Amino acid sequence: PEVAMLKTAYRAVFREAFRAALASLAPRQRTLFRQHYIDGMTMEQMGLLYQVHRLTVFRWIEAARGEVSEATRRYMAERLTVKDAEVASVLRMIQSQLDFSLRAELGPPPSVEAPIK
């Protein structure tokens, strides 16, 4: 019961940290996440859209992922007042229990209105 209670408490802190980390991303980085993870665009498709090589898109997404990961870890360490090693342990403990949705965190893509004729 104690472990379940800790998982629930840590999950709430994780969600808060994850939301804050996503909010700290530049708009373009959030758009890249939406296009790849929500809209299902491949890196090849995104490369064509941005007129860059797919590996450049991969690097952009990896950099954004790294920023989210680091910001989440940092925020959790501050909120839980624990060391980085302990935060890593907490993240491993709750990882299998997470039921958050990237779609819910990023929100639906902005709608595009049809031009008036």
Side-chain angles (χ1 to χ4, degrees):
E2 183 178 339
V3 172
M5 183 182 75
L6 288 174
K7 284 183 179 183
T8 300
Y10 290 148
R11 188 179 312 122
V13 173
F14 171 81
R15 284 186 182 173
E16 189 177 322
F18 186 69
R19 284 183 185 128
L22 284 175
S24 72
L25 288 176
R28 181 176 179 175
Q29 291 172 311
R30 284 192 301 273
T31 298
L32 289 169
F33 273 8
R34 268 192 208 99
Q35 290 171 328
H36 186 63
Y37 294 113
I38 295 173
D39 298 337
M41 289 181 73
T42 66
M43 296 200 190
E44 290 82 7
Q45 292 169 325
M46 293 171 72
L48 289 171
L49 178 67
Y50 291 101
Q51 299 179 352
V52 296
H53 194 275
R54 65 181 172 78
L55 291 176
T56 300
V57 174
F58 174 79
R59 285 191 291 270
W60 289 344
I61 291 173
E62 284 300 305
R65 235 187 280 184
E67 286 182 35
V68 168
S69 177
E70 181 55 34
T72 301
R73 188 177 5 267
R74 190 173 51 249
Y75 185 87
M76 286 187 70
E78 291 170 5
R79 283 288 303 220
L80 299 173
T81 61
V82 295
K83 297 177 184 175
D84 284 339
E86 292 175 60
V87 171
S89 176
V90 168
L91 288 172
R92 279 192 304 276
M93 180 177 73
I94 65 172
Q95 185 175 10
S96 65
Q97 301 297 313
L98 293 176
D99 58 357
F100 72 90
S101 163
L102 192 57
R103 180 180 308 271
E105 300 303 330
L106 290 174
S111 63
V112 177
E113 295 183 23
I116 299 173
K117 294 182 182 181

